[in-house]
């Protein structure tokens, strides 16, 4: 059972860390390994695709992390065996997070330099792969960033999008034991949001947290207020996720500026709930927030439920502040060298079973946790000040 105190207290104190595995990312070994490493590093939330197989892979990673809690503490990591929230992402309409790149490799010119293969951060584009015996987009690895589309010299890469089916969502939440739901929406889709919310709302009380993710747009704050009026009253915590520059955090430090700017805009609206950055977040994000005075210093311990959750972020006694940061592409790419080594071991050594688990290689495991901790600790250091 998830310990509610730790994740919600992180939100209240302003040092919440969320790992975004990707709403379209369905590579089960990677989801399991990312969940394991970031949980041991101290993450508060793991956000995954609303796919039962993906959810099960993340839950497996959480269970392994619990068994390694004492080991982690001996190595100097402040993980006490408390599970982060497990969140699933849903969408109320077309959204770049819910798509896959596709192309027919038979249409590729034989002399093409294949820039798509080089630019793909998920290594989802392969040609004549020995392991997969396949050329094209490995669907379960693609998370829809779209970087391959404009770079294709022959303009043959396209995307396929999908939208959550409301009738399938409630049973999913009921049967898989997730703690939280994030709804991706956009300005002007209130009717679509309402249909999705109606499918979830009969079971909303069993969730620990609801997150609303929305990119910027004309009339955004009015749209978010309309959403709040629709979902209120809530018994669980609420996060407004500011989707600054989606799936771009690994491109360069400057991408975080859009996330910070949008976070400021939502803070200024003084909506009930917490504000958490996403979209373009990377190693520069926390430093930028600190420099701008947008992260609160640690407060004394307090309750983790009820109205306190909603009063803290907009309390007159404290300046508006960002309560946490979610990391997606940057967090995944940070660990990709480790996960790639793990995959290569499976291919090169016939004595190693397929889908070697990260915890089965002690060296790679703790290297991964150390890398994950280098990111998690940036915001967690706030609680020590």
């Amino acid at each position: 059972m998830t310990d509610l105190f730790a994740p919600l207290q992180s939100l209240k104190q302003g040092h919440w860390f969320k790992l975004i595995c990707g709403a379209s990312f369905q590579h089960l070994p990677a989801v399991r390994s990312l969940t394991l490493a970031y949980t041991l590093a101290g993450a508060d939330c793991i956000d995954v695709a609303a796919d039962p197989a993906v959810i099960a892979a993340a839950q497996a990673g959480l269970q392994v992390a619990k068994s390694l809690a004492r080991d982690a503490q001996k190595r100097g990591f402040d993980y006490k065996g408390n599970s982060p929230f497990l969140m699933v992402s849903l969408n109320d309409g077309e959204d770049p997070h819910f798509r896959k790149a596709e192309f027919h490799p038979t249409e590729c010119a034989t002399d093409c330099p294949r820039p798509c293969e080089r630019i793909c951060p998920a290594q989802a584009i392969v040609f004549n792969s020995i392991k997969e015996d396949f050329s094209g987009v490995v669907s379960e690895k693609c998370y829809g960033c779209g970087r391959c589309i404009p770079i294709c010299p022959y303009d043959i890469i396209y995307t396929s999008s999908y939208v959550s089916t409301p009738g399938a969502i409630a049973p999913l939440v009921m049967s898989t034991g997730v703690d939280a739901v994030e709804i991706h929406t956009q300005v002007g889709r209130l009717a679509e949001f309402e249909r999705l919310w109606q499918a979830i709302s009969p079971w909303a009380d069993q969730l620990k947290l609801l997150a609303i993710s929305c990119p910027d747009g004309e009339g955004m704050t009015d749209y978010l207020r309309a959403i709040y009026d629709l979902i209120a009253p809530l018994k669980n915590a609420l996060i407004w996720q500011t989707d600054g520059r989606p799936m771009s955090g690994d491109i360069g430090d400057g991408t975080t500026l859009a996330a910070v700017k949008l976070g400021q805009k939502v803070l200024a609206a003084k909506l009930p709930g917490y504000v958490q950055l996403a979209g373009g977040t990377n190693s520069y994000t926390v430093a930028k927030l600190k420099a701008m005075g947008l992260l609160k210093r640690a407060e004394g311990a307090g309750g983790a439920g009820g109205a306190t959750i909603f009063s803290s972020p907009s309390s007159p006694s404290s300046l508006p502040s960002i309560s946490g940061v979610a990391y997606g592409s940057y967090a995944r790419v940070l660990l990709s060298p480790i996960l790639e080594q793990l995959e290569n071991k499976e291919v090169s050594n016939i004595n190693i079973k397929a889908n070697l688990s990260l915890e089965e290689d002690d060296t790679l495991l703790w290297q991964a946790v150390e890398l994950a901790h280098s990111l998690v600790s940036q915001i967690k250091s706030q609680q020590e000040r």
Side-chain angles (χ1 to χ4, degrees):
M1 189 72 178
T2 298
D3 182 344
L4 297 185
F5 181 80
L8 292 184
Q9 196 67 7
S10 291
L11 265 178
K12 184 178 180 181
Q13 294 184 343
H15 52 81
W16 163 272
F17 180 102
K18 184 174 87 167
L19 167 69
I20 304 173
C21 285
S24 295
F25 190 60
Q26 296 166 301
H27 190 235
L28 303 184
V31 169
R32 187 183 187 278
S33 294
L34 287 166
T35 300
L36 171 57
Y38 277 97
T39 297
L40 289 172
D44 296 295
C45 184
I46 309 293
D47 184 0
V48 300
D51 176 328
V54 175
I55 293 169
Q59 288 171 330
L62 294 175
Q63 287 302 312
V64 174
K66 279 190 174 183
S67 71
L68 293 170
R70 186 170 297 178
D71 223 357
Q73 291 167 25
K74 287 180 180 178
R75 292 172 181 269
F77 300 108
D78 190 30
Y79 171 68
K80 299 179 176 62
N82 298 325
S83 289
F85 284 166
L86 184 57
M87 173 183 284
V88 295
S89 284
L90 309 171
N91 57 322
D92 62 10
E94 292 283 330
D95 189 283
H97 297 88
F98 297 79
R99 66 181 183 179
K100 300 279 191 183
E102 295 182 17
F103 68 91
H104 300 290
T106 54
E107 298 178 7
C108 296
T110 55
D111 60 346
C112 180
R114 299 173 179 171
C116 59
E117 186 178 25
R118 294 194 302 273
I119 202 171
C120 178
Q123 298 176 316
I125 297 177
V126 297
F127 291 90
N128 304 314
S129 166
I130 296 174
K131 183 179 179 183
E132 285 95 356
D133 188 25
F134 172 79
S135 293
V137 178
V138 182
S139 180
E140 62 267 25
K141 288 186 177 182
C142 177
Y143 57 80
C145 70
R147 296 178 206 175
C148 58
I149 298 171
I151 206 169
C152 175
Y154 301 98
D155 196 28
I156 63 170
I157 302 177
Y158 59 98
T159 60
S160 293
S161 300
Y162 58 94
V163 180
S164 305
T165 304
I169 291 165
L172 176 71
V173 172
M174 288 289 289
S175 63
T176 55
V178 300
D179 300 295
V181 165
E182 178 170 286
I183 300 176
H184 289 256
T185 188
Q186 293 182 25
V187 177
R189 289 216 298 244
L190 190 61
E192 292 87 346
F193 181 95
E194 184 173 11
R195 281 196 295 272
L196 182 56
W197 180 246
Q198 285 175 347
I200 301 171
S201 57
W203 295 277
D205 286 353
Q206 77 178 44
L207 299 172
K208 314 302 186 300
L209 174 71
L210 174 68
I212 308 295
S213 179
C214 187
D216 201 1
E218 186 176 352
M220 178 196 183
T221 53
D222 288 339
Y223 180 65
L224 296 184
R225 287 192 187 95
I227 284 179
Y228 183 76
D229 290 342
L230 183 65
I231 63 178
L234 282 176
K235 292 184 179 180
N236 37 44
L238 174 64
I239 286 177
W240 301 104
Q241 176 167 292
T242 61
D243 199 3
R245 187 173 167 185
M247 297 176 285
S248 66
D250 58 312
I251 293 176
D253 288 346
T255 63
T256 201
L257 298 177
V260 173
K261 183 178 179 181
L262 188 53
Q264 289 178 296
K265 181 176 180 177
V266 177
L267 281 175
K270 299 182 179 179
L271 296 161
Y274 295 99
V275 177
Q276 171 225 277
L277 301 190
T281 52
N282 50 38
S283 62
Y284 182 68
T285 304
V286 171
K288 183 68 175 175
L289 290 173
K290 287 179 179 178
M292 297 176 68
L294 290 172
L295 282 179
K296 68 172 68 175
R297 297 172 71 111
E299 301 171 354
T308 307
I309 284 295
F310 299 107
S311 62
S312 178
S314 56
S315 171
S317 62
S318 61
L319 294 173
S321 56
I322 298 297
S323 294
V325 182
Y327 299 85
S329 56
Y330 183 83
R332 296 190 297 268
V333 169
L334 186 64
L335 264 60
S336 62
I338 302 295
L339 303 188
E340 187 177 357
Q341 287 184 61
L342 200 63
E343 283 197 33
N344 289 339
K345 281 194 171 189
E346 298 169 18
V347 174
S348 62
N349 190 339
I350 60 173
N351 295 318
I352 296 179
K353 66 180 182 179
N355 297 328
L356 180 68
S357 298
L358 181 59
E359 71 274 12
E360 294 178 85
D361 188 310
D362 201 58
T363 301
L364 289 182
L365 168 64
W366 296 109
Q367 285 178 358
V369 177
E370 186 68 47
L371 282 171
H373 186 260
S374 70
L375 185 59
V376 175
S377 62
Q378 291 182 17
I379 194 163
K380 291 298 180 183
S381 65
Q382 285 294 104
Q383 63 187 309
E384 299 166 0
R385 293 178 62 184

